[in-house]
Each structure stands twice: as structure tokens, then as C-alpha cells.
Amino acid sequence: AKTVIGGGDLKLEDASGELSGTKFSGALHYRGGEHRVVDLNLDSDRLDLREVLGESAAWQSWLPDPAAAQGTAPASDQSLLGALRDDEVHATLRVGELLLPNIPPGRLDARFSLAKDNLDVERLDFAAPGAIALNGNGSIARLSTAPAGQADLSIQAMTADGLKVTTELLGLGEGVTKSKQLPSLAPLDLHVGLTATRDGAATSASIEVKGKAGGSDVAIIAKAAGDPANLADASIDIDGSVKGERPQALLGLLMPGLASERLAVAGAERGKFTLRAQGVPSRSVTGRAELATDAMQLAFDGEGSLKPEGMALAGVASAKGRNAGMALALFGLG
């Protein structure tokens, strides 16, 4: 590269290099000091980041550790966003074939800036043909403390393997990524809209999810108010429905102990699953869940809470159908 060093600045113009046997070009400007500034322009036909990123490219590795926020881990913030909180980063990335750990090779076109804890994504397009596609944009202020702003994200996963990769990339827990119900949600095509406002030292957020999962139509509106780093103690309000083929898949994700073969005896190949819930997950959430199929109507009214060992439920369950044997089989009775 054409290099200029001095006065706390590093400039690399007309740069070219090689990483893990793949070539790239671009420019870099780094200015040191109390508030660092990084301007990066990267262009590559094929770029291999698997050795750089290690075992996972999940976005959660960018964010502060929730355990640290709750005082159960060291106070030092080793996350990427934490390290750059007081700095400025401006990046334009174009990669024809990006190789990431545990993710199919895909095309990346992105332009974003992170300036003093404010994130502005002009575009984020990642597409692995036949597997997954992510497209998004948005602007979020005070990202690591009390986020406020809006963002839009489109998620497509064409196969069950692509869906598993997508949930891992988004940093969802093993309860989702390893669920037996997850493959039935493919192909997945969802649009997620996020709007957040600051409420004192906390954040009030609204998330709207619309689209298709498997052969079902999905519509969910979720609201939360509290500390984004500790959602278990936030106040939530959820209103959602899944209508079409195998709507019980979402119920299986929410209640992993409910075996899919039990739901199958209820004739749940087509139907509608609805959920309304309000409360604080770590203490108590009250609501109603209902699964209606041609053969049976199932409902649960009550409350639940998230415990270290899993979800605890208390309430009244009901089953109505033409064959009482179905209800017995649903609850595991021969």
C-alpha cells in the first residue's frame, strides 16, 4: 500500500493483500488518540475470515456480556461494540464470496458507521444462494446503553440447514438452534421491523414480525420495556399468530418438552396457533395460548416464568375434540 504514518495517523491507500490464501484490496485510515477513528474500504472477489473469527460469527459476540451487566461477571467489557464505544468506525465492504465459520459462502455488500455508540446501517446485504439471505438497514443511537431508533431486517432461509445457520448467526440459544421443531419452519421468509425509544435509563421497544414460516403465515407484535442487556427482567407484551401448515412448530419452540409426535395425534397438520402474553419473564407472565385444528381445539390460560432450569407453568389447560383418545395421547397417556 501507499503508506503514510505520523502524527497519530496511519493511512494505507491503494492497498492490496492476502488473507488465508484469498486476496483483497482497498484503503484504511486509522487515527489514534482518546477517540479513535477508523475508515475502511474493502473490496474482494473472495475473502476467507474463518481463521480470523474462530468457531462462530454470531452477532452476540459483538455485544456486551449480559452476565457482566448483572454483576455476575468481571466488569471489563471485551465485546467489539464495547471496545469501540467512544470511537468512530466507517466501513464499506464488498465481497463476492465471503467465507465465515459454519455459514455457507455468500455475497456481502455493506455500508455502515459506528460513531460514539450510534450505529447507522445504510445497507447490509448478505446472500448465500440456495441457503440464506439477510437484508437490512437502520439507525440506532446509544447502542450499548439505552438503544433508540429504528431498523428493518428481512430474513430468508430456504432449507432446514439454512434455517439452523440463520438462527446461529443471529445468536439465538441452543433451545432454538437444536430444536426438533426448527426444520419444519423452513422455508422461512420474514420481515422484522424494530422501533425503539428511550424511557429514562431504559429502552421501550416494539418489534413487528410478518411473513411465512414453512407453510404458515406469521404475524407477531412484541413490545418490551427495560434494560436490553437483561430481557428476563423487562416488561413484555406479545400478541402473535401462526396460521397454516404445522402451526404447532412455534408451540414446540416455546415448550421444548412438548414432543412433536404428541401434537401430531391432534391432527395439527393445518390450523392456527395464537398467543397473548404480558408480564416480566423472570417473575410472572400471564396469558393465553390456543391451537385450533380441524380435529381438536387446545388452550392454556395461566402464567409462566423463566427459571434457570427452564420454563415453569401454572394454569388451566383444556382440550376439545371428537375423540377423547386424542386428548389422552396428547398428554402422554396411552
Side-chain angles (χ1 to χ4, degrees):
K2 295 178 181 179
T3 307
V4 178
I5 302 176
D9 280 11
L10 166 64
K11 293 183 179 180
L12 303 177
E13 301 288 347
D14 298 327
S16 62
E18 185 175 303
L19 176 64
S20 298
T22 56
K23 297 180 179 180
F24 61 89
S25 62
L28 171 68
H29 179 201
Y30 173 85
R31 187 176 72 217
E34 183 179 356
H35 301 292
R36 297 168 294 181
V37 176
V38 178
D39 282 292
L40 173 65
N41 192 316
L42 178 70
D43 192 282
S44 174
D45 291 333
R46 187 171 187 266
L47 186 63
D48 189 347
L49 296 182
R50 291 173 294 188
E51 292 186 19
V52 176
L53 295 176
E55 296 181 357
S56 174
W59 65 273
Q60 276 189 333
S61 62
W62 297 20
L63 301 178
D65 185 355
Q70 298 175 26
T72 58
S76 61
D77 188 351
Q78 300 299 323
S79 68
L80 177 60
L81 292 182
L84 298 173
R85 181 173 299 158
D86 298 322
D87 304 325
E88 290 188 32
V89 177
H90 307 276
T92 300
L93 311 174
R94 190 210 67 82
V95 182
E97 184 182 25
L98 180 63
L99 305 178
L100 297 171
N102 302 319
I103 296 174
R107 182 186 70 258
L108 174 67
D109 183 9
R111 184 181 180 89
F112 63 90
S113 65
L114 176 64
K116 298 180 180 179
D117 209 26
N118 298 325
L119 177 65
D120 183 20
V121 179
E122 181 178 323
R123 66 177 179 271
L124 171 61
D125 296 322
F126 177 78
I132 63 176
L134 301 174
N135 308 95
N137 61 77
S139 181
I140 305 293
R142 297 178 299 275
L143 189 64
S144 63
T145 53
Q150 61 180 18
D152 290 287
L153 178 65
S154 294
I155 305 171
Q156 293 179 315
M158 284 62 96
T159 65
D161 288 341
L163 183 57
K164 183 175 185 297
V165 166
T166 303
T167 58
E168 292 174 347
L169 183 63
L170 295 175
L172 302 180
E174 288 189 354
V176 174
T177 61
K178 295 186 177 181
S179 171
K180 294 181 180 179
Q181 305 294 332
L182 187 63
S184 64
L185 297 180
L188 183 80
D189 188 353
L190 294 180
H191 176 265
V192 182
L194 167 66
T195 302
T197 58
R198 188 170 184 175
D199 185 8
T203 289
S204 178
S206 174
I207 300 177
E208 184 174 5
V209 181
K210 286 187 176 182
K212 288 187 173 294
S216 294
D217 295 316
V218 178
I220 300 173
I221 296 179
K223 299 178 181 179
D227 182 356
N230 189 15
L231 289 177
D233 288 333
S235 174
I236 67 168
D237 186 337
I238 300 174
D239 186 354
S241 68
V242 181
K243 182 179 181 180
E245 297 180 7
R246 298 183 298 277
Q248 73 276 15
L250 181 58
L251 182 60
L253 288 178
L254 295 174
M255 302 174 60
L258 189 58
S260 57
E261 55 269 19
R262 293 187 187 177
L263 289 168
V265 302
E269 285 304 307
R270 291 194 62 84
K272 183 177 182 179
F273 172 67
T274 56
L275 172 68
R276 284 193 58 86
Q278 293 179 319
V280 178
S282 63
R283 297 196 289 271
S284 176
V285 174
T286 60
R288 175 180 175 86
E290 185 173 355
L291 175 65
T293 72
D294 290 339
M296 182 172 288
Q297 292 79 49
L298 311 172
F300 175 80
D301 287 281
E303 62 180 355
S305 60
L306 289 176
K307 304 297 182 182
E309 61 275 11
M311 181 179 291
L313 296 173
V316 177
S318 62
K320 181 180 180 180
R322 294 184 298 272
N323 187 339
M326 286 186 176
L328 296 175
L330 185 68
F331 292 104
L333 301 175

